[in-house]
Amino acid sequence: MISWKCLLIIFVMILALFSISPAQDYIAGEGDVLQISVYEHPDLTTTARIGGDGTINFPLIGQVNVQGLTLPEISQRISELLSDGYIVNPQVNIFIQEFRSKKAFIMGEVNKPGLHVLHGTTTFLELLSVAGGLTKDAGEMAVLKRKTGHSDGQETIIEIDLKRLVEKGDTSIDISIMDGDSVYIKKAGVFYVTGEVKKPDSYKYEDGTTVIKAVTIAGGFTEKASKGRVKIIRKVKGEEEIINSVDMDEPILQDDVIVVPESFF
């Protein structure tokens, strides 16, 4: 069965090839350059950059406020203004000639961490693609910090469940990335298996891992193992706690140490 991380890697690779967002949903803003044409009126073809006040200049009608509008909404607004005494039923076509720069940080367990310049509407998965995808040590959660826009410097914290996004196909959590967003991909937690197992080592933790699953991941019991005396060493509030003779179906926690002692016989 393909793991959620393999599915995510495949998904990100596909996005890397087809990462163009639908321009019709893009909200125009300061710095965008629009290419505007009117059917059968080539003299009105215009290239206009949106200014700091959210307006563009267009022949015949002058300044047009387009701040916060999508391309169809801008087309509709210009059509209405042209219809008001200039052109009968104007057909206005618009596309983005140049996107304004949008920047976002992505740090943690990605292959290309740092500041990335984005163009147009960009989702979380598309940002992940730009950052080269996840490392092998990536965990199941991403944390996004977003400035609220208030002068007090407050931030909104959004957690993204990577496993849910891919395994369950819940694209509702593939949120749009905004200018100035900061994303952190957490490192996966680990657990340790030591003693009479075939491959004692540290291993990546996943929710729902039980003692028997941990032992299986570690290669299984050796012939000398005392299967009925397995114990867990767990840190609780900074102090080590020893849980003796644990049940094989007992769930483990991050940073647990599963100890498999040697049999006396």
Side-chain angles (χ1 to χ4, degrees):
M1 183 177 179
I2 300 176
S3 70
W4 72 270
K5 186 168 288 188
C6 289
L7 289 170
L8 182 55
I9 291 170
I10 294 169
F11 201 174
V12 168
M13 289 174 67
I14 293 172
L15 284 172
L17 295 174
F18 306 101
S19 59
I20 300 174
S21 298
Q24 297 302 303
D25 296 329
Y26 178 69
I27 297 176
E30 179 184 353
D32 284 338
V33 177
L34 308 180
Q35 182 70 38
I36 309 170
S37 61
V38 182
Y39 181 63
E40 293 188 339
H41 293 273
D43 54 315
L44 295 181
T45 298
T46 301
T47 300
R49 183 181 295 274
I50 301 176
D53 59 355
T55 65
I56 59 171
N57 283 307
F58 194 78
L60 299 180
I61 55 179
Q63 281 195 329
V64 181
N65 190 340
V66 299
Q67 180 71 35
L69 301 181
T70 63
L71 299 192
E73 289 170 339
I74 295 172
S75 176
Q76 179 66 25
R77 177 163 294 183
I78 293 175
S79 295
E80 291 172 352
L81 293 170
L82 288 174
S83 297
D84 189 13
Y86 297 102
I87 298 173
V88 177
N89 192 28
Q91 304 298 309
V92 179
N93 297 307
I94 303 176
F95 71 89
I96 302 286
Q97 179 171 300
E98 180 183 331
F99 288 101
R100 68 187 186 274
S101 292
K102 180 169 65 173
K103 301 178 179 67
F105 283 97
I106 182 166
M107 305 298 290
E109 298 302 318
V110 291
N111 290 304
K112 296 178 183 177
L115 180 66
H116 291 277
V117 177
L118 311 171
H119 302 283
T121 302
T122 303
T123 67
F124 167 78
L125 281 175
E126 288 168 337
L127 173 61
L128 190 60
S129 174
V130 171
L134 300 171
T135 70
K136 62 181 180 61
D137 294 323
E140 299 179 6
M141 296 298 296
V143 177
L144 184 148
K145 293 183 179 181
R146 175 171 295 166
K147 295 179 181 178
T148 59
H150 301 299
S151 58
D152 55 11
Q154 289 186 348
E155 294 178 325
T156 298
I157 306 296
I158 303 170
E159 288 195 339
I160 301 169
D161 187 333
L162 300 177
K163 192 173 180 180
R164 171 183 160 197
L165 179 60
V166 177
E167 272 195 0
K168 297 183 179 180
D170 189 353
T171 55
S172 68
I173 60 175
D174 186 21
I175 62 176
S176 294
I177 300 298
M178 298 177 64
D179 188 31
D181 279 355
S182 178
V183 177
Y184 181 74
I185 307 294
K186 291 184 176 182
K187 188 173 183 177
V190 296
F191 63 89
Y192 307 86
V193 186
T194 187
E196 294 301 323
V197 290
K198 295 176 182 178
K199 296 186 293 182
D201 206 339
S202 62
Y203 294 93
K204 185 178 295 186
Y205 173 82
E206 291 186 2
D207 286 340
T209 301
T210 60
V211 172
I212 189 59
K213 183 177 179 180
V215 170
T216 302
I217 292 170
F221 294 110
T222 68
E223 293 179 356
K224 298 179 181 179
S226 178
K227 300 177 183 179
R229 296 172 50 237
V230 177
K231 62 183 178 181
I232 295 175
I233 301 175
R234 176 176 295 164
K235 286 188 177 180
V236 179
K237 297 181 179 180
E239 300 290 333
E240 282 192 354
E241 178 180 296
I242 299 176
I243 307 171
N244 291 300
S245 301
V246 296
D247 188 88
M248 290 293 101
D249 293 325
E250 175 80 16
I252 67 170
L253 303 178
Q254 290 186 35
D255 299 319
D256 275 357
V257 181
I258 294 90
V259 181
V260 181
E262 183 178 353
S263 175
F264 293 134
F265 304 100

